[in-house]
Amino acid sequence: MKKSTKRFLIGVGAATAGAAVIGTVQHVTTKYLMKLAIDRQGPKSAERDKEKMMASDAVSQAVTAVMDAAQTLETRPHERVEITAQDGTPLIGHWYAPENPKRILIAMHGWRSSWSQDFGMIAPFWLESGCAVLFAEQRGQGNSGGEYMGFGLLERFDCLDWIGWVNERTEQKLPLYLGGISMGASTVLMTAGFDLPENVRGIIADCGFTSPRAIWKHVVENRFHLPYGLYSRAANDICKRRIQVPSDAYSTVEALRSCAVPVLLIHGTDDRFVPVEMTYENYKACSSEKQLFIVPGAEHGTSYLVDTAGYETAVRSFWNSYDQPNTL
């Protein structure tokens, strides 16, 4: 064999081997990222990576208060509720009903979090303002069933099921609001795309993203410093296999374009996990009556902690505007 031919074959072999190694690394990395994103049982480093992605000085300083508030909410008298989702998944909720409530709020928590941690701080405000509250445990998390999280693609149907439960329980006599934070915010915004019951008077969404694909791209590129383009196709395939829905199947933007109920959008300017630009995009897309409350200096999920008075004023104003049906 000629030396030139031998060198060429060695070069081809090395290139092929290199491509195989790169392909293997991409495959392993993609599987890890998707396991972190949607699997109930995330990778062993899931909690550490979540802390890295959602690093927030404000949250770090408030951890003790948040955990104490969560424990207080959990021990407050309430009813544990179980329903079955449209696809057969058991869903758990926690029903708090004060005497003579003025309105009802269905609250959807965020990614790899819990109902009590995400809403423990704000729950007293809701309850003392005359709200009956159904705190849902999102599928693939906590005590609800399901092996995977759907980033709103599946949970929007669960939210619709919870609306049905609440209206059956209360005979649809009270104004009803959907509220959520982070992934829960995107869940309630995607729910806006349904033809909702007449007593659903509004949606309150705090720091929601626009779509699973958009937030995955942002996190991979900005928190893990990887080129999302290398992983997007495989990530979409894994998503479709696990939850039977591609990552671009739906978005908050699509839902809000056909939304018929008022929407209050909330976000902090310093959010490094879900950029505030996503809320501006949602606001621009929304075809219904809409309000925007932006909190300067607030990081992810901390708007209520940073500007409690302003937040409560915005929410009260929203309720006052829409508790009564529009008779025009």
Side-chain angles (χ1 to χ4, degrees):
M1 181 181 293
K2 293 182 179 180
K3 289 185 178 180
S4 59
T5 301
K6 186 175 182 180
R7 285 196 298 269
F8 173 75
L9 291 175
I10 291 173
V12 170
T16 302
V21 169
I22 292 171
T24 300
V25 170
Q26 289 179 2
H27 177 72
V28 171
T29 303
T30 303
K31 286 189 69 175
Y32 172 84
L33 291 172
M34 291 307 296
K35 186 176 180 66
L36 174 65
I38 65 176
D39 285 21
R40 173 187 286 274
Q41 297 297 331
K44 292 181 179 180
S45 60
E47 192 58 35
R48 183 179 68 246
D49 283 334
K50 179 190 173 185
E51 291 174 0
K52 174 185 175 183
M53 286 186 287
M54 304 178 72
S56 163
D57 293 338
V59 170
S60 297
Q61 294 170 7
V63 161
T64 300
V66 168
M67 297 309 294
D68 287 347
Q71 186 175 16
T72 298
L73 180 59
E74 289 175 9
T75 56
R76 191 166 182 160
H78 68 280
E79 179 183 349
R80 187 179 187 273
V81 180
E82 181 173 348
I83 65 172
T84 302
Q86 296 175 31
D87 65 354
T89 301
L91 302 174
I92 300 299
H94 303 267
W95 176 241
Y96 290 73
E99 289 188 25
N100 304 314
K102 299 176 182 178
R103 67 189 69 83
I104 300 166
L105 181 63
I106 295 176
M108 310 295 283
H109 69 79
W111 175 75
R112 292 203 182 281
S113 188
S114 74
W115 63 283
S116 58
Q117 288 181 31
D118 279 356
F119 300 120
M121 296 293 286
I122 199 172
F125 163 62
W126 287 344
L127 296 169
E128 291 163 13
S129 297
C131 298
V133 186
L134 186 285
F135 296 96
E137 294 200 43
Q138 297 261 44
R139 65 166 57 223
Q141 304 187 66
N143 295 299
S144 285
E147 293 305 312
Y148 306 108
M149 293 169 273
F151 273 67
L153 297 173
L154 302 180
E155 291 85 351
R156 61 192 172 116
F157 295 99
D158 300 340
C159 191
L160 200 61
D161 290 332
W162 282 120
I163 293 172
W165 181 87
V166 164
N167 275 342
E168 183 177 352
R169 177 67 174 262
T170 61
E171 299 179 345
Q172 203 168 329
K173 292 179 177 179
L174 292 171
L176 173 60
Y177 295 85
L178 309 179
I181 189 167
S182 193
M183 190 181 83
S186 297
T187 294
V188 296
L189 290 175
M190 289 189 196
T191 308
F194 292 115
D195 184 14
L196 298 173
E198 185 179 351
N199 71 317
V200 178
R201 301 286 164 74
I203 294 172
I204 302 171
D206 186 336
C207 62
F209 51 79
T210 50
S211 71
R213 176 169 286 187
I215 191 59
W216 294 346
K217 181 177 187 296
H218 175 78
V219 169
V220 168
E221 292 180 348
N222 292 277
R223 308 305 290 175
F224 287 101
H225 306 292
L226 296 170
Y228 183 68
L230 292 176
Y231 307 101
S232 59
R233 188 169 183 176
N236 192 58
D237 289 343
I238 292 172
C239 178
K240 192 171 182 179
R241 286 199 304 271
R242 291 183 179 174
I243 67 172
Q244 285 73 57
V245 182
S247 62
D248 59 353
Y250 203 53
S251 69
T252 58
V253 171
E254 290 176 77
L256 289 169
R257 284 173 181 158
S258 60
C259 178
V261 300
V263 177
L264 171 59
L265 293 159
I266 301 169
H267 216 122
T269 59
D270 291 8
D271 193 329
R272 292 176 290 173
F273 183 52
V274 178
V276 68
E277 286 77 16
M278 289 192 178
T279 279
Y280 290 135
E281 188 176 349
N282 284 329
Y283 182 81
K284 183 178 180 179
C286 185
S287 62
S288 63
E289 294 183 45
K290 54 193 175 183
Q291 298 177 20
L292 190 63
F293 180 61
I294 302 298
V295 180
E299 299 184 42
H300 188 66
T302 68
S303 290
Y304 184 72
L305 304 179
V306 172
D307 186 4
T308 302
Y311 197 114
E312 291 181 356
T313 297
V315 171
R316 281 198 194 97
S317 176
F318 190 68
W319 289 335
N320 291 337
S321 296
Y322 302 111
D323 273 355
Q324 300 303 317
N326 189 344
T327 57
L328 297 179

